[in-house]
Amino acid sequence: MNRWIGRVALVTGASAGIGAAITKELARQGMQVVASARSLDKLVTLRKEVESESWKGSVAPKQCDLSNSAEVEGMFSWIKEKFGGVDVCVNNAGYISPNCTLLDGHPSEWRKMLEVNILASTACSNLSIKHMMSRSVDDGHIINIGSLLCHRVVGGCYAKMRFQAAIKHMTAALTEGLRQELRERNSNIRVSLVSPSGVDTSIRSLLCEDLMNEVQNNSERTQLLNVQEVADVVVSVLRQKPHLEVHEVFFRPTSQKD
């Protein structure tokens, strides 16, 4: 990770869970991390946690509502002015509407999921790459955080997440599409999709009562990944030599049966 020391990473959805863990790990590795989320208070707390560790890297909180394109553009202008530009972009932010099924869900909820999970992450990738290319940075990295839903449409207690599965399938397609466009321009900027199976985060309790009951009844909590494990995989992707692109990695506990 030595080549990343002092360079700039943007992590969206950084106020809690996977995003907070990735932010701290990148700061531990010596990067200057712009931590983005809607909750400024949580981001400030995160910065204080990192400062208390005396790591080589740092955290700069940046409040941003990713569903607001003007705020997204403003965030990138702020990053360019303060740090010069983005070298690594981790698109982690996501919105999941509880009980948003295909038959009973409302278009306003589908639209919000598309705005945050797809349009915002695509805009962040686009603007990050523009930052890189304007500075002749040819070893930058875009990392999209996916899930097992990037390749599966599941039933059972997960049936209420079928629109989310469609979102994640689109994330996988956009990741590959971005890789192809960069190669067409003879760019060495890398693109990776990091897809964990179930992760033990607070968002799981917000999804639906049936899902949480099944988790508890089947003792699934013992089979969940933790957020630090996801952060470790992100770092392992960044560690690779510049000529090697880990385009996609899917990982899960060895005890998981399906």
Side-chain angles (χ1 to χ4, degrees), residues 159-253:
K160 294 179 180 179
M161 297 180 68
R162 286 180 178 136
F163 190 78
Q164 175 69 1
I167 292 285
K168 289 299 184 182
H169 275 65
M170 191 180 297
T171 298
L174 289 169
T175 303
E176 170 59 13
L178 186 57
R179 185 196 68 82
Q180 292 180 11
E181 290 197 18
L182 286 166
R183 296 300 89 81
E184 289 165 1
R185 298 193 181 193
N186 297 316
S187 171
N188 291 315
I189 295 170
R190 295 179 293 179
V191 186
S192 300
L193 178 64
V194 172
S195 296
S197 65
V199 182
D200 190 3
T201 64
S202 58
I203 195 171
R204 293 176 67 86
S205 62
L206 300 177
L207 297 181
C208 64
E209 184 176 353
D210 293 342
L211 172 57
M212 294 313 300
N213 287 339
E214 183 159 323
V215 167
Q216 294 170 358
N217 293 339
N218 293 335
S219 299
E220 186 189 359
R221 185 161 297 277
T222 61
Q223 302 175 16
L224 295 176
L225 299 167
N226 62 58
V227 294
Q228 183 58 45
E229 289 165 335
V230 181
D232 289 343
V233 171
V234 169
V235 168
S236 73
V237 169
L238 288 170
R239 284 184 189 276
Q240 303 305 313
K241 295 179 180 179
H243 73 278
L244 194 155
E245 180 176 54
V246 178
H247 183 59
E248 181 174 3
V249 55
F250 170 63
F251 56 105
R252 55 188 169 189

Side-chain angles (χ1 to χ4, degrees), residues 10-76:
L10 168 65
V11 179
T12 65
S15 60
I18 293 172
I22 293 172
T23 296
K24 288 190 281 189
E25 190 56 40
L26 294 183
R28 188 200 308 272
Q29 297 295 335
M31 298 196 74
Q32 299 181 77
V33 187
V34 176
S36 169
R38 289 179 298 172
S39 175
L40 183 59
D41 290 344
K42 291 181 180 179
L43 295 176
V44 171
T45 299
L46 180 61
R47 179 183 62 187
K48 291 178 180 178
E49 290 177 13
V50 169
E51 289 174 343
S52 70
E53 297 290 345
S54 300
W55 292 331
K56 293 180 181 179
S58 62
V59 170
K62 183 57 181 175
Q63 187 176 33
C64 181
D65 180 355
L66 291 178
S67 65
N68 186 320
S69 59
E71 288 194 24
V72 173
E73 292 176 2
M75 175 176 67
F76 276 87

